[in-house]
Amino acid sequence: MPAVDVFSLIWLIFLVMSLQPLIQQRYLLAQRAAAIRRLERIRGSRVITLIHRQEGFSFLGLPFARFIDVDDSEEVLRAIELTDPSRPIDLILHTPGGMVLAAEQIARALLRHRAKVTVMVPHYAMSGGTLIALAADEILMAPSAVLGPVDPQVGQYPAASILAAVERKDPNELDDQTLILADVARKARQQVHDLVSELLTGNGMDEARAKELAGILSEGRWTHDYPISVEEARALGLPVSADLPLEVRHLMRLYPQPRGRRPSVEYVPMPYGPPERVPERERRQAS
């Protein structure tokens, strides 16, 4: 084979390999769009996804993690504005939380939507994700999915912990920076409390109960990553159901976590029924 042909072949292989990730990504996006449209047809709704995964690159060995930011709120608000007031909205949430401002904008927009709003949580919606979920008429969760507290964080510390630390000190021993931090923490906690109370009463909860629940979720009685299960959320009075549509689970499989190594979890990806009785001979052979 002439040298020029060998070079052309190598160049073609290199071109195909370089384009393969782009082709795979486009195919994955097409699959997601088809899955979203399928869910919309089944439920007669507008489906919006707010799904955060760790990014596929890292800095100094630490992976970048996604969270709710202003870009997310802009896109979600745009999707809500493009939805007829009479059409229900299904928001699929998978997030560790994020900016209070962005989460508040999304929550208020959902609360204003006249048709039914359903938030679906296949795995977890913590912090700002829970704040958004509180604006929904109904929260559908997988049986093992969790929500979380919405107590605000000031800098790297929980607002409640800052206030608790300051209360144990002699005010004369505190410097100006600590006093300012405590003032911001007090305001942040009150603002989140008032917002949660507004969201809950906006969805028909009794005002006294809404204020009580707002205090429970925002006062800092738990650590910020405390998992609120389906059963606990129901006990708190939230409109939670464990009837998450199967189509949502299928959709989540189209948002794979980027990995640069062998998967740490493996199983046969199909439903399993009750265990079958294995003949004694086969059990002895297997042992």
Side-chain angles (χ1 to χ4, degrees), residues 44-46 80 83-90 109-118 135-138 203:
S45 66
R46 154 88 77 178
I80 295 173
T83 306
D84 188 90
S86 65
R87 178 175 286 272
I89 288 179
D90 292 331
L110 292 174
L111 189 64
R112 287 193 298 268
H113 191 70
R114 293 209 301 265
K116 183 178 180 180
V117 172
T118 304
D137 299 293
E138 184 179 27
N203 276 328

Side-chain angles (χ1 to χ4, degrees), residues 74-283:
E74 289 179 359
E75 289 299 322
V76 174
L77 294 180
R78 177 63 174 160
I80 295 173
E81 291 167 359
L82 289 172
T83 306
D84 188 90
S86 65
R87 178 175 286 272
I89 288 179
D90 292 331
L91 176 62
I92 300 173
L93 272 181
H94 177 78
T95 179
M99 295 177 59
V100 174
L101 170 61
E104 179 178 346
Q105 285 184 297
I106 295 172
R108 289 186 185 278
L110 292 174
L111 189 64
R112 287 193 298 268
H113 191 70
R114 293 209 301 265
K116 183 178 180 180
V117 172
T118 304
V119 163
M120 301 179 179
V121 184
H123 297 296
Y124 74 134
M126 307 297 286
S127 188
T130 298
L131 192 63
I132 293 171
L134 295 177
D137 299 293
E138 184 179 27
I139 305 172
L140 300 183
M141 300 172 62
S144 299
V146 296
L147 302 175
V150 296
D151 56 308
Q153 311 296 291
V154 178
Q156 58 180 321
Y157 301 113
S161 297
I162 294 173
L163 295 175
V166 168
E167 289 171 359
R168 294 190 179 99
K169 296 282 187 178
D170 184 341
N172 297 320
E173 298 177 354
L174 299 175
D175 57 51
D176 289 347
Q177 184 176 357
T178 302
L179 291 172
I180 292 171
L181 197 63
D183 182 59
V184 173
R186 189 175 297 106
K187 292 175 180 175
R189 190 166 67 171
Q190 186 62 51
Q191 288 169 196
V192 172
H193 175 279
D194 293 345
L195 174 60
V196 172
S197 179
E198 176 188 339
L199 296 175
L200 294 173
T201 54
N203 276 328
M205 183 177 287
D206 174 77
E207 184 176 353
R209 176 54 185 161
K211 289 183 177 180
E212 180 185 4
L213 183 52
I216 292 172
L217 293 174
S218 66
E219 69 187 2
R221 67 168 56 185
W222 302 300
T223 59
H224 196 58
D225 61 350
Y226 176 79
I228 299 176
S229 66
V230 172
E231 294 76 18
E232 190 167 3
R234 284 174 179 160
L236 290 172
L238 295 177
V240 170
S241 169
D243 298 326
L244 185 74
L246 184 61
E247 290 79 12
V248 176
R249 303 174 191 271
H250 292 163
L251 178 62
M252 285 300 298
R253 292 181 61 85
L254 301 177
Y255 291 83
Q257 179 76 12
R259 297 182 185 273
R261 55 182 174 80
R262 181 183 65 81
S264 56
V265 178
E266 296 182 80
Y267 62 95
V268 178
M270 60 181 294
Y272 274 29
E276 299 178 359
R277 182 176 179 81
V278 180
E280 182 65 26
R281 180 183 303 175
E282 291 187 21
R283 287 204 298 268

